[in-house]
Amino acid sequence: MSLVDAGMPVFIPEDIASKEPVLLSQGAEALVIHTNNDEVVKFRPSKTWRLPELDKQLRKRRTAQEVRVIEKLARNGVNVPKVTRSDPAKGLIYMEYINGISLKKLTWDLGANEEVKKMYQMYGEAIAQMHNLKICHGDLTTSNVMVRDNLIVLIDFGLSSQEADVEDKAVDLYVLERAIQSTHPLDANMLVNEIVMPAYERRAEELKDKFLSDVLVRLGQVRQRGRKRTQLG
Amino acid sequence: MVDLDKYLPERGYYLALGLEGSANKLGVGIIKHNKGERSDENRAEVLCNIRDTYNAPPGEGFLPRDVAKHHRNKVVRMVLEALKIANVTYKDLDCICFTQGPGMGAPLQATVIAARMLSQLHGIPLVGVNHCVGHIEMGREITGADNPVVLYVSGGNTQIIAYSHQRYRIFGETLDIAVGNCLDRFARVLKISNDPAPGYNIEQLAKKGTKYAPLPYAVKGMDISMTGILAQVEQLAKDKQRKTQYSMEDLCFSLQETLFAMLVEITERAMAHVQSNQVLIVGGVGSNLRLQEMMSKMAAERGGSIYATDERFCIDNGIMIAQAGLLAYRVGITTDIKDSVCSQRFRTDDVYVKWRD
């Protein structure tokens, strides 16, 4: 789908528009645009509905943050796209093109078969590794994991944070749990309780993550809070 | 396709009375459904939708016992009035629908007692309704939105909901307090009036605000957190020296802009996630025009549209309970007296939505 076909009303920077760009995905806040064989551009357009001051601040902060986090993860052996260059003020990140499909689509296409389960296991392990680096993803879903050559690549660090504490990590896991439940309702309990969480715990233990038990206790509390918070009309 | 007319009465249409009393509003509504699927030609008819609101004095929130007392005082009168406006009698009603939760305990109980009494006196079946599902079904009915992402924002709830596999599934929600609660509590600090609603008064003040006070912005995936923002804006409001820097209007403006930007962002994320371009806003905060404006710009940028209703249906009301209850009744769901206990905690995704495919 070309950007024109997609009816994109957003401003696309000149240097990208001239390369016959193809829209790979329109997420909530960013467009991922495929510009040539091995490069994509992640572009955060301005949101007209948001107060301009807030908009500018959020776009710049998130773009810079995303680059910092991706680079740190890459240095520490977590599978992430390679960043070539970036321009936070314009909301632009240039990075490697991941030629694969999302874990969401894979699960929808194949169901929770052994091959797919293996991907969820790797997902759990990658999260443990990331948390051990005090990084939280902030939007763990099955659409934010790409599968390429039977390996997973974590993408979309737009809401990530560094120096994450126990609460952040617990919420990170809770968000994932809920995302799996809402996206893959029929297999959710199995995927979460039998694959992702055990893999996460195993990897965290291997890494001697001293916060593991605290995170798990807190996850229980976050779950309670979400589930049983008093709801008023 | 779900058969909605298995229990069609001989006269060929359905009538339901709805009682809502989960918070500070008591609502009584009477709805009429003709047989057949809902379509643009076959819409539900609102025969009556009346509401009475209990307001606490400025600087205070409403207390459950006072609200319950209000509901007890008003319910009989309002039911009689509703029947009169709708020009129907008890004999005509197919079911009595009531809010079974979530909400405040004492007011819920006051309302369910009235519902049980009516049911037993006149031999009419009861249908317990989840308050949130009531909002969603009324929103769908009024706007005609087919399968939208639903933003449910009120004094007690902040949820992003989408339908899948016979449930309204919660994709995102607040991790601490509800957006309406955040606004209400801020109004209390500034002693803004609770009449007609604190949120409404904040909305009016915010229109005059110009200077943006930076507040925390806490989005976590499709969930949000609001306590940090509330603490910060309360601090700014109390801090005498800052008063010269930010007026009351500026603070209302900043609070709204921040909270609503977060809400629109998580709604957009949910829309991207489930690949929908319709969004339906329900709940009391949904009647805020600034929120509606931001949301419709967002939806337009995604090539979609928003569906919102006005205060009659956004703010808690009896008709939405009648609507959701009647849909349940039409597929054979009723609530026995022994199961009619209400609950303060009743999750949207606990309800089995038998009336949809």
Side-chain angles (χ1 to χ4, degrees):
Chain A
M1 181 164 53
S2 82
L3 287 172
V4 183
D5 293 339
M8 295 309 308
V10 293
F11 160 78
I12 307 286
E14 267 307 299
D15 60 322
I16 302 172
S18 61
K19 287 182 186 167
E20 293 184 22
V22 175
L23 181 66
L24 284 185
S25 80
Q26 183 185 16
E29 58 162 4
L31 307 170
V32 179
I33 301 161
H34 193 185
T35 46
N36 62 42
N37 286 340
D38 43 33
E39 190 178 66
V40 296
V41 183
K42 179 162 179 172
F43 174 49
R44 283 187 170 75
S46 192
K47 300 286 188 189
T48 57
W49 44 266
R50 196 154 57 190
L51 191 72
E53 290 110 296
L54 188 57
D55 184 68
K56 201 172 150 194
Q57 175 199 324
L58 287 172
R59 288 171 62 213
K60 188 173 168 187
R61 193 207 290 161
R62 287 180 178 170
T63 307
Q65 173 71 4
E66 184 165 2
V67 172
R68 269 197 300 274
V69 166
I70 294 176
E71 286 174 347
K72 184 167 175 185
L73 289 170
R75 276 200 305 278
N76 289 280
V78 179
N79 235 348
V80 287
K82 193 185 234 112
V83 172
T84 40
R85 65 206 150 96
S86 70
D87 186 345
K90 288 186 183 154
L92 290 168
I93 306 175
Y94 297 79
M95 56 187 145
E96 171 199 6
Y97 171 60
I98 309 290
N99 194 359
I101 73 168
S102 75
L103 184 57
K104 175 172 87 171
K105 192 154 184 315
L106 190 75
T107 314
W108 282 353
D109 289 351
L110 303 181
N113 68 17
E114 290 310 311
E115 185 195 338
V116 173
K117 285 186 198 167
K118 185 88 185 63
M119 298 301 127
Y120 278 88
Q121 186 196 327
M122 285 196 262
Y123 193 12
E125 289 164 358
I127 301 167
Q129 220 168 331
M130 178 176 74
H131 281 184
N132 193 44
L133 295 165
K134 293 187 184 169
I135 292 174
C136 274
H137 183 280
D139 189 15
L140 290 175
T141 61
T142 49
S143 9
N144 284 336
V145 183
M146 295 297 291
V147 178
R148 175 180 65 181
D149 302 334
N150 285 320
L151 285 175
I152 61 157
V153 183
L154 298 189
I155 58 165
D156 195 358
F157 290 86
L159 291 174
S160 61
S161 57
Q162 297 198 68
E163 294 307 317
D165 58 16
V166 169
E167 168 78 15
D168 296 330
K169 292 178 192 172
V171 170
D172 222 18
L173 291 171
Y174 179 63
V175 166
L176 172 65
E177 196 174 289
R178 287 260 316 288
I180 297 181
Q181 278 160 357
S182 47
T183 322
H184 314 289
L186 304 178
D187 297 314
N189 286 340
M190 184 273 291
L191 289 174
V192 172
N193 300 326
E194 293 169 29
I195 315 274
V196 178
M197 286 310 294
Y200 176 85
E201 288 172 37
R202 222 169 24 244
R203 187 76 186 109
E205 274 163 16
E206 280 167 22
L207 293 165
K208 301 198 168 49
D209 193 322
K210 57 181 192 281
F211 296 107
L212 174 63
S213 58
D214 291 349
V215 170
L216 295 178
V217 169
R218 186 65 71 94
L219 174 60
Q221 291 167 356
V222 174
R223 233 182 246 142
Q224 292 289 311
R225 218 159 56 198
R227 289 248 144 221
K228 295 198 175 165
R229 191 188 55 253
T230 316
Q231 292 188 310
L232 305 181
Chain B
M1 199 61 117
V2 180
D3 182 5
L4 287 169
D5 292 319
K6 232 155 79 185
Y7 303 90
L8 182 69
E10 270 174 34
R11 62 172 187 267
Y13 61 86
Y14 309 83
L15 279 178
L17 177 119
L19 287 173
E20 150 62 27
S22 63
N24 66 333
K25 284 118 195 147
L26 180 65
V28 182
I30 296 176
I31 204 156
K32 179 181 171 187
H33 282 189
N34 291 313
K35 65 177 179 188
E37 286 275 301
R38 183 209 182 278
S39 66
D40 286 344
E41 290 76 43
N42 187 16
R43 308 268 306 259
E45 258 177 77
V46 176
L47 301 186
C48 164
N49 186 22
I50 53 176
R51 171 169 58 214
D52 198 280
T53 306
Y54 169 77
N55 283 322
E60 288 176 32
F62 50 81
L63 297 171
R65 61 161 189 271
D66 298 332
V67 179
K69 194 171 157 198
H70 165 265
H71 290 3
R72 279 196 298 271
N73 274 335
K74 298 274 178 169
V75 71
V76 173
R77 272 176 267 190
M78 283 177 64
V79 169
L80 290 174
E81 191 191 340
L83 290 167
K84 204 168 143 196
I85 295 173
N87 197 20
V88 298
T89 64
Y90 290 113
K91 278 204 305 294
D92 303 323
L93 298 173
D94 294 299
C95 56
I96 307 247
C97 315
F98 65 97
T99 309
Q100 200 158 12
M104 290 174 123
L108 276 172
Q109 252 166 27
T111 318
V112 73
I113 287 171
R116 283 188 204 125
M117 175 203 69
L118 289 172
S119 162
Q120 287 181 297
L121 267 178
H122 304 285
I124 309 167
L126 281 175
V127 183
V129 173
N130 177 297
H131 181 86
C132 317
V133 172
H135 273 296
I136 298 170
E137 290 304 347
M138 200 63 214
R140 288 180 59 225
E141 172 61 42
I142 292 295
T143 62
D146 173 42
N147 191 21
V149 166
V150 182
L151 174 68
Y152 173 25
V153 275
S154 68
N157 293 287
T158 303
Q159 299 178 340
I160 307 280
I161 301 157
Y163 176 81
S164 138
H165 292 82
Q166 245 86 40
R167 303 241 174 218
Y168 287 112
R169 295 184 194 271
I170 303 173
F171 279 70
E173 66 186 319
T174 172
L175 295 167
D176 38 56
I177 57 173
V179 62
N181 190 239
C182 184
L183 293 168
D184 291 355
R185 280 158 71 169
F186 181 62
R188 268 175 244 164
V189 174
L190 292 182
K191 298 262 192 309
I192 294 171
S193 166
N194 288 326
D195 186 22
Y200 177 82
N201 294 325
I202 289 180
E203 182 181 357
Q204 306 316 311
L205 286 167
K207 286 178 185 162
K208 294 174 212 131
T210 49
K211 208 149 110 195
Y212 177 69
L215 295 173
Y217 188 92
V219 169
K220 295 176 186 180
M222 283 185 251
D223 294 331
I224 60 175
S225 157
M226 285 171 280
T227 42
I229 298 167
L230 180 62
Q232 173 91 15
V233 75
E234 281 182 349
Q235 203 58 46
L236 287 174
K238 284 175 188 161
D239 192 337
K240 291 278 182 284
Q241 280 178 322
R242 293 263 191 155
K243 256 197 176 147
T244 48
Q245 204 184 335
Y246 298 109
S247 66
M248 189 154 115
E249 288 80 3
D250 289 338
L251 292 178
C252 289
F253 165 73
S254 306
L255 180 61
Q256 270 199 182
E257 288 298 321
T258 309
L259 291 177
F260 295 171
M262 286 162 49
L263 290 174
V264 176
E265 181 180 339
I266 60 171
T267 309
E268 183 168 23
R269 188 159 294 119
M271 288 167 79
H273 194 67
V274 303
Q275 290 171 2
S276 161
N277 60 7
Q278 291 185 334
V279 48
L280 170 66
I281 313 179
V282 300
V285 183
S287 56
N288 187 303
L289 295 178
R290 174 63 184 147
L291 176 60
Q292 291 186 10
E293 180 197 354
M294 287 167 76
M295 197 63 87
S296 60
K297 276 191 191 164
M298 180 276 282
E301 280 176 17
R302 298 188 67 82
S305 49
I306 76 155
Y307 297 86
T309 56
D310 58 32
E311 59 83 28
R312 285 172 302 165
F313 306 108
C314 254
I315 296 173
D316 292 351
N317 59 79
I319 204 76
M320 68 185 207
I321 301 302
Q323 167 69 12
L326 187 50
L327 285 170
Y329 177 81
R330 288 177 65 179
V331 292
I333 300 170
T334 56
T335 308
D336 288 342
I337 294 263
K338 67 170 170 35
D339 301 322
S340 65
V341 180
C342 49
S343 168
Q344 284 160 275
R345 292 159 185 156
F346 185 2
R347 297 272 299 177
T348 314
D349 47 10
D350 282 343
V351 178
Y352 180 67
V353 183
K354 203 178 161 188
W355 54 91
R356 287 188 66 179
D357 288 321

PDB file of all heavy atoms in Angstrom, chain B residues 311-331:
ATOM      1  N   GLU B 311     -25.687  14.559  27.091  1.00  0.00           N
ATOM      2  CA  GLU B 311     -25.805  14.255  28.511  1.00  0.00           C
ATOM      3  C   GLU B 311     -26.978  13.316  28.854  1.00  0.00           C
ATOM      4  O   GLU B 311     -26.907  12.578  29.820  1.00  0.00           O
ATOM      5  CB  GLU B 311     -25.861  15.544  29.345  1.00  0.00           C
ATOM      6  CG  GLU B 311     -26.999  16.508  29.034  1.00  0.00           C
ATOM      7  CD  GLU B 311     -28.296  16.140  29.714  1.00  0.00           C
ATOM      8  OE1 GLU B 311     -28.245  15.521  30.786  1.00  0.00           O
ATOM      9  OE2 GLU B 311     -29.366  16.467  29.153  1.00  0.00           O
ATOM     10  N   ARG B 312     -28.024  13.308  28.027  1.00  0.00           N
ATOM     11  CA  ARG B 312     -29.170  12.447  28.332  1.00  0.00           C
ATOM     12  C   ARG B 312     -28.762  10.977  28.428  1.00  0.00           C
ATOM     13  O   ARG B 312     -29.299  10.208  29.218  1.00  0.00           O
ATOM     14  CB  ARG B 312     -30.244  12.562  27.232  1.00  0.00           C
ATOM     15  CG  ARG B 312     -31.040  13.842  27.275  1.00  0.00           C
ATOM     16  CD  ARG B 312     -31.920  13.935  26.044  1.00  0.00           C
ATOM     17  NE  ARG B 312     -31.095  13.872  24.816  1.00  0.00           N
ATOM     18  CZ  ARG B 312     -31.585  13.640  23.611  1.00  0.00           C
ATOM     19  NH1 ARG B 312     -32.866  13.429  23.440  1.00  0.00           N
ATOM     20  NH2 ARG B 312     -30.787  13.605  22.550  1.00  0.00           N
ATOM     21  N   PHE B 313     -27.825  10.601  27.536  1.00  0.00           N
ATOM     22  CA  PHE B 313     -27.451   9.199  27.493  1.00  0.00           C
ATOM     23  C   PHE B 313     -26.039   8.944  28.011  1.00  0.00           C
ATOM     24  O   PHE B 313     -25.687   7.831  28.373  1.00  0.00           O
ATOM     25  CB  PHE B 313     -27.593   8.671  26.062  1.00  0.00           C
ATOM     26  CG  PHE B 313     -28.953   8.917  25.502  1.00  0.00           C
ATOM     27  CD1 PHE B 313     -29.158   9.867  24.520  1.00  0.00           C
ATOM     28  CD2 PHE B 313     -30.047   8.221  25.997  1.00  0.00           C
ATOM     29  CE1 PHE B 313     -30.427  10.117  24.028  1.00  0.00           C
ATOM     30  CE2 PHE B 313     -31.313   8.456  25.515  1.00  0.00           C
ATOM     31  CZ  PHE B 313     -31.511   9.407  24.523  1.00  0.00           C
ATOM     32  N   CYS B 314     -25.191  10.002  28.013  1.00  0.00           N
ATOM     33  CA  CYS B 314     -23.820   9.854  28.499  1.00  0.00           C
ATOM     34  C   CYS B 314     -23.825   9.707  30.013  1.00  0.00           C
ATOM     35  O   CYS B 314     -23.202   8.824  30.571  1.00  0.00           O
ATOM     36  CB  CYS B 314     -23.006  11.090  28.153  1.00  0.00           C
ATOM     37  SG  CYS B 314     -21.855  10.828  26.827  1.00  0.00           S
ATOM     38  N   ILE B 315     -24.510  10.639  30.649  1.00  0.00           N
ATOM     39  CA  ILE B 315     -24.567  10.629  32.103  1.00  0.00           C
ATOM     40  C   ILE B 315     -25.526   9.520  32.528  1.00  0.00           C
ATOM     41  O   ILE B 315     -26.510   9.243  31.825  1.00  0.00           O
ATOM     42  CB  ILE B 315     -24.992  12.026  32.613  1.00  0.00           C
ATOM     43  CG1 ILE B 315     -23.902  13.040  32.229  1.00  0.00           C
ATOM     44  CG2 ILE B 315     -25.209  12.020  34.122  1.00  0.00           C
ATOM     45  CD1 ILE B 315     -24.241  14.472  32.504  1.00  0.00           C
ATOM     46  N   ASP B 316     -25.218   8.890  33.671  1.00  0.00           N
ATOM     47  CA  ASP B 316     -25.996   7.739  34.121  1.00  0.00           C
ATOM     48  C   ASP B 316     -27.493   7.980  33.987  1.00  0.00           C
ATOM     49  O   ASP B 316     -28.000   9.043  34.354  1.00  0.00           O
ATOM     50  CB  ASP B 316     -25.690   7.452  35.590  1.00  0.00           C
ATOM     51  CG  ASP B 316     -24.275   6.958  35.767  1.00  0.00           C
ATOM     52  OD1 ASP B 316     -23.615   6.683  34.744  1.00  0.00           O
ATOM     53  OD2 ASP B 316     -23.832   6.847  36.915  1.00  0.00           O
ATOM     54  N   ASN B 317     -28.194   6.964  33.481  1.00  0.00           N
ATOM     55  CA  ASN B 317     -29.626   7.115  33.258  1.00  0.00           C
ATOM     56  C   ASN B 317     -30.303   5.769  33.306  1.00  0.00           C
ATOM     57  O   ASN B 317     -29.648   4.725  33.234  1.00  0.00           O
ATOM     58  CB  ASN B 317     -29.857   7.796  31.905  1.00  0.00           C
ATOM     59  CG  ASN B 317     -29.252   7.002  30.765  1.00  0.00           C
ATOM     60  OD1 ASN B 317     -29.820   6.021  30.311  1.00  0.00           O
ATOM     61  ND2 ASN B 317     -28.052   7.385  30.338  1.00  0.00           N
ATOM     62  N   GLY B 318     -31.608   5.787  33.426  1.00  0.00           N
ATOM     63  CA  GLY B 318     -32.349   4.540  33.540  1.00  0.00           C
ATOM     64  C   GLY B 318     -32.552   3.856  32.197  1.00  0.00           C
ATOM     65  O   GLY B 318     -32.645   2.637  32.112  1.00  0.00           O
ATOM     66  N   ILE B 319     -32.597   4.657  31.130  1.00  0.00           N
ATOM     67  CA  ILE B 319     -32.935   4.074  29.831  1.00  0.00           C
ATOM     68  C   ILE B 319     -31.860   3.109  29.350  1.00  0.00           C
ATOM     69  O   ILE B 319     -32.137   2.095  28.709  1.00  0.00           O
ATOM     70  CB  ILE B 319     -33.220   5.201  28.796  1.00  0.00           C
ATOM     71  CG1 ILE B 319     -34.112   4.683  27.680  1.00  0.00           C
ATOM     72  CG2 ILE B 319     -31.969   5.803  28.220  1.00  0.00           C
ATOM     73  CD1 ILE B 319     -35.544   4.529  28.071  1.00  0.00           C
ATOM     74  N   MET B 320     -30.601   3.413  29.677  1.00  0.00           N
ATOM     75  CA  MET B 320     -29.529   2.524  29.221  1.00  0.00           C
ATOM     76  C   MET B 320     -29.616   1.161  29.909  1.00  0.00           C
ATOM     77  O   MET B 320     -29.284   0.136  29.323  1.00  0.00           O
ATOM     78  CB  MET B 320     -28.162   3.156  29.472  1.00  0.00           C
ATOM     79  CG  MET B 320     -27.787   3.275  30.931  1.00  0.00           C
ATOM     80  SD  MET B 320     -26.230   4.157  31.135  1.00  0.00           S
ATOM     81  CE  MET B 320     -25.669   3.444  32.681  1.00  0.00           C
ATOM     82  N   ILE B 321     -30.098   1.177  31.154  1.00  0.00           N
ATOM     83  CA  ILE B 321     -30.259  -0.083  31.885  1.00  0.00           C
ATOM     84  C   ILE B 321     -31.419  -0.864  31.271  1.00  0.00           C
ATOM     85  O   ILE B 321     -31.344  -2.076  31.070  1.00  0.00           O
ATOM     86  CB  ILE B 321     -30.503   0.207  33.383  1.00  0.00           C
ATOM     87  CG1 ILE B 321     -29.331   1.001  33.981  1.00  0.00           C
ATOM     88  CG2 ILE B 321     -30.752  -1.075  34.176  1.00  0.00           C
ATOM     89  CD1 ILE B 321     -27.975   0.326  33.862  1.00  0.00           C
ATOM     90  N   ALA B 322     -32.470  -0.127  30.910  1.00  0.00           N
ATOM     91  CA  ALA B 322     -33.607  -0.765  30.250  1.00  0.00           C
ATOM     92  C   ALA B 322     -33.179  -1.359  28.904  1.00  0.00           C
ATOM     93  O   ALA B 322     -33.564  -2.473  28.547  1.00  0.00           O
ATOM     94  CB  ALA B 322     -34.732   0.248  30.060  1.00  0.00           C
ATOM     95  N   GLN B 323     -32.362  -0.611  28.171  1.00  0.00           N
ATOM     96  CA  GLN B 323     -31.911  -1.063  26.844  1.00  0.00           C
ATOM     97  C   GLN B 323     -31.096  -2.360  26.938  1.00  0.00           C
ATOM     98  O   GLN B 323     -31.397  -3.350  26.276  1.00  0.00           O
ATOM     99  CB  GLN B 323     -31.078   0.054  26.178  1.00  0.00           C
ATOM    100  CG  GLN B 323     -30.284  -0.347  24.952  1.00  0.00           C
ATOM    101  CD  GLN B 323     -31.153  -0.662  23.748  1.00  0.00           C
ATOM    102  OE1 GLN B 323     -32.348  -0.373  23.732  1.00  0.00           O
ATOM    103  NE2 GLN B 323     -30.555  -1.277  22.738  1.00  0.00           N
ATOM    104  N   ALA B 324     -30.055  -2.347  27.781  1.00  0.00           N
ATOM    105  CA  ALA B 324     -29.203  -3.536  27.894  1.00  0.00           C
ATOM    106  C   ALA B 324     -29.989  -4.698  28.495  1.00  0.00           C
ATOM    107  O   ALA B 324     -29.850  -5.847  28.072  1.00  0.00           O
ATOM    108  CB  ALA B 324     -27.975  -3.223  28.745  1.00  0.00           C
ATOM    109  N   GLY B 325     -30.849  -4.369  29.479  1.00  0.00           N
ATOM    110  CA  GLY B 325     -31.643  -5.410  30.117  1.00  0.00           C
ATOM    111  C   GLY B 325     -32.630  -6.042  29.153  1.00  0.00           C
ATOM    112  O   GLY B 325     -32.814  -7.257  29.126  1.00  0.00           O
ATOM    113  N   LEU B 326     -33.222  -5.212  28.304  1.00  0.00           N
ATOM    114  CA  LEU B 326     -34.211  -5.743  27.365  1.00  0.00           C
ATOM    115  C   LEU B 326     -33.550  -6.634  26.304  1.00  0.00           C
ATOM    116  O   LEU B 326     -34.091  -7.657  25.912  1.00  0.00           O
ATOM    117  CB  LEU B 326     -34.998  -4.596  26.716  1.00  0.00           C
ATOM    118  CG  LEU B 326     -36.185  -5.003  25.830  1.00  0.00           C
ATOM    119  CD1 LEU B 326     -37.106  -5.987  26.542  1.00  0.00           C
ATOM    120  CD2 LEU B 326     -36.979  -3.777  25.398  1.00  0.00           C
ATOM    121  N   LEU B 327     -32.339  -6.240  25.880  1.00  0.00           N
ATOM    122  CA  LEU B 327     -31.611  -7.090  24.930  1.00  0.00           C
ATOM    123  C   LEU B 327     -31.362  -8.464  25.546  1.00  0.00           C
ATOM    124  O   LEU B 327     -31.528  -9.496  24.899  1.00  0.00           O
ATOM    125  CB  LEU B 327     -30.279  -6.441  24.536  1.00  0.00           C
ATOM    126  CG  LEU B 327     -30.372  -5.261  23.573  1.00  0.00           C
ATOM    127  CD1 LEU B 327     -29.036  -4.558  23.451  1.00  0.00           C
ATOM    128  CD2 LEU B 327     -30.845  -5.736  22.191  1.00  0.00           C
ATOM    129  N   ALA B 328     -30.975  -8.464  26.831  1.00  0.00           N
ATOM    130  CA  ALA B 328     -30.723  -9.726  27.521  1.00  0.00           C
ATOM    131  C   ALA B 328     -32.023 -10.525  27.641  1.00  0.00           C
ATOM    132  O   ALA B 328     -32.063 -11.727  27.376  1.00  0.00           O
ATOM    133  CB  ALA B 328     -30.125  -9.453  28.905  1.00  0.00           C
ATOM    134  N   TYR B 329     -33.108  -9.810  27.985  1.00  0.00           N
ATOM    135  CA  TYR B 329     -34.415 -10.462  28.138  1.00  0.00           C
ATOM    136  C   TYR B 329     -34.840 -11.134  26.830  1.00  0.00           C
ATOM    137  O   TYR B 329     -35.369 -12.235  26.821  1.00  0.00           O
ATOM    138  CB  TYR B 329     -35.457  -9.420  28.568  1.00  0.00           C
ATOM    139  CG  TYR B 329     -36.855  -9.969  28.678  1.00  0.00           C
ATOM    140  CD1 TYR B 329     -37.261 -10.673  29.805  1.00  0.00           C
ATOM    141  CD2 TYR B 329     -37.763  -9.798  27.624  1.00  0.00           C
ATOM    142  CE1 TYR B 329     -38.547 -11.188  29.895  1.00  0.00           C
ATOM    143  CE2 TYR B 329     -39.043 -10.314  27.712  1.00  0.00           C
ATOM    144  CZ  TYR B 329     -39.433 -11.007  28.851  1.00  0.00           C
ATOM    145  OH  TYR B 329     -40.691 -11.527  28.927  1.00  0.00           O
ATOM    146  N   ARG B 330     -34.549 -10.460  25.724  1.00  0.00           N
ATOM    147  CA  ARG B 330     -34.986 -10.981  24.412  1.00  0.00           C
ATOM    148  C   ARG B 330     -34.265 -12.264  24.013  1.00  0.00           C
ATOM    149  O   ARG B 330     -34.720 -12.986  23.132  1.00  0.00           O
ATOM    150  CB  ARG B 330     -34.811  -9.902  23.331  1.00  0.00           C
ATOM    151  CG  ARG B 330     -35.841  -8.789  23.481  1.00  0.00           C
ATOM    152  CD  ARG B 330     -35.642  -7.682  22.466  1.00  0.00           C
ATOM    153  NE  ARG B 330     -35.871  -8.135  21.098  1.00  0.00           N
ATOM    154  CZ  ARG B 330     -35.764  -7.333  20.043  1.00  0.00           C
ATOM    155  NH1 ARG B 330     -35.446  -6.051  20.207  1.00  0.00           N
ATOM    156  NH2 ARG B 330     -35.973  -7.794  18.825  1.00  0.00           N
ATOM    157  N   VAL B 331     -33.118 -12.538  24.632  1.00  0.00           N
ATOM    158  CA  VAL B 331     -32.467 -13.830  24.365  1.00  0.00           C
ATOM    159  C   VAL B 331     -32.654 -14.780  25.552  1.00  0.00           C
ATOM    160  O   VAL B 331     -31.949 -15.778  25.671  1.00  0.00           O
ATOM    161  CB  VAL B 331     -30.968 -13.683  24.019  1.00  0.00           C
ATOM    162  CG1 VAL B 331     -30.810 -12.987  22.683  1.00  0.00           C
ATOM    163  CG2 VAL B 331     -30.219 -12.943  25.114  1.00  0.00           C
TER     164      VAL B 331
END
